[in-house]
Amino acid sequence: MLYVVPTPVGNLEDITLRAIKVLKKVSLILCEDTRTSSVLLNHYDIHTPLRSHHKFNEHETSKEMAYLAGTQDIALISDAGTPCISDPGFMLVRACVEAGVEVQCLPGPTAMVPALVNSSLPNDRFYFEGFLPQKKGRQTRIRELAELKHTIIIYESPFRLPKTLQQLADVMGNDRPASVCREISKIHEETRRGTLRELADYYREIAPKGEIVLVVGGKED
């Protein structure tokens, strides 16, 4: 069986008892970066062997790992949050399903949910974009998002955030409400709300740090 196991996005205590139990009992844990995952595993006295499975090798190794999951229980984790959500894992899950291997995804941490709730923007319906295209197709994608009437969730790096806010304001309008949530569940967690213009101006002067989730209000009728 393949277990897809969410891991904390910040505070190491944001992990379920079931996740700890699974990570201790499986034969192998696939992870993005063994150094990053070792911090979590050492914290919970988990000594299961680790093997790298990331976006640079998943194309070549997914079928091999699916075959392995057919002979023993293995787990898939990412550096933080739920695998497959803007993280590697989809190819492995698909390979397991195609090979007839059972897959179980445990419920657990994901950065977009607390960011959406903290934004104070409508959350009865929302659209998860993940990361925007970095170059080709970026402006086209922003114009498409501008027409959505649901709240939009975007993952962004702190280095690109000021530019992204400026681009969104140029297309969606300066007054579109938005929220920037960073360092979720960590010591310096912060949620800053305002218009796209206000946030663009703020982060142009104050360089953001840490993991970023940008939440943007939908287009009003």
Side-chain angles (χ1 to χ4, degrees), residues 9 80-82 84-87 109-115 128-133 138 152-158 160-161 164 181 184 211-215:
V9 298
T82 301
C84 305
I85 306 298
S86 292
D87 274 327
T110 180
M112 65 178 176
V113 174
F128 176 66
E129 172 68 13
F131 288 98
L132 288 166
R138 185 178 178 88
I152 305 160
I153 303 172
I154 299 171
Y155 285 171
E156 190 53 281
S157 81
R160 290 193 299 267
L161 179 64
T164 297
C181 190
I184 293 172
E211 301 294 326
I212 303 289
V213 183
L214 173 59
V215 185

Side-chain angles (χ1 to χ4, degrees), residues 31-173:
C31 63
E32 290 185 82
D33 188 321
T34 57
R35 295 165 298 180
T36 300
S37 295
S38 292
V39 174
L40 174 68
L41 300 188
N42 290 337
H43 183 79
Y44 286 103
D45 197 29
I46 299 171
H47 303 288
T48 307
L50 289 170
R51 181 167 173 176
S52 294
H53 183 81
H54 44 70
K55 65 180 181 180
F56 300 110
N57 71 2
E58 63 177 343
H59 294 78
E60 292 77 25
T61 62
S62 288
K63 288 188 177 180
E64 176 191 351
M65 292 300 99
Y67 174 80
L68 188 63
T71 63
Q72 57 190 289
D73 290 341
I74 66 175
L76 171 68
I77 63 176
S78 61
D79 285 347
T82 301
C84 305
I85 306 298
S86 292
D87 274 327
F90 161 71
M91 292 184 179
L92 176 57
V93 170
R94 182 173 63 182
C96 284
V97 171
E98 291 175 347
V101 177
E102 184 176 354
V103 178
Q104 282 192 11
C105 181
L106 278 61
T110 180
M112 65 178 176
V113 174
L116 173 63
V117 174
N118 283 341
S119 72
S120 79
L121 293 168
N123 53 34
D124 55 333
R125 289 188 177 93
F126 60 89
Y127 181 86
F128 176 66
E129 172 68 13
F131 288 98
L132 288 166
Q134 291 189 27
K135 295 181 180 179
K136 185 178 180 180
R138 185 178 178 88
Q139 287 297 325
T140 299
R141 188 61 188 144
I142 290 176
R143 287 194 294 270
E144 292 171 347
L145 293 175
E147 298 302 314
L148 296 181
K149 296 183 178 180
H150 305 327
T151 300
I152 305 160
I153 303 172
I154 299 171
Y155 285 171
E156 190 53 281
S157 81
F159 310 105
R160 290 193 299 267
L161 179 64
K163 179 180 179 180
T164 297
L165 288 166
Q166 178 65 57
Q167 291 174 328
L168 292 174
D170 290 343
V171 176
M172 298 182 178

Side-chain angles (χ1 to χ4, degrees), residues 161 165 178-182 190-192 199 203 212-214:
L161 179 64
L165 288 166
S179 164
V180 172
C181 190
R182 66 179 191 86
E190 176 190 53
T191 298
R192 182 166 292 274
L199 293 170
Y203 286 108
I212 303 289
V213 183
L214 173 59

Side-chain angles (χ1 to χ4, degrees), residues 189-210:
E189 179 177 352
E190 176 190 53
T191 298
R192 182 166 292 274
R193 307 169 187 87
T195 65
L196 285 172
R197 171 55 54 204
E198 290 169 342
L199 293 170
D201 290 343
Y202 177 83
Y203 286 108
R204 190 179 301 111
E205 299 296 328
I206 308 296
K209 297 180 180 179

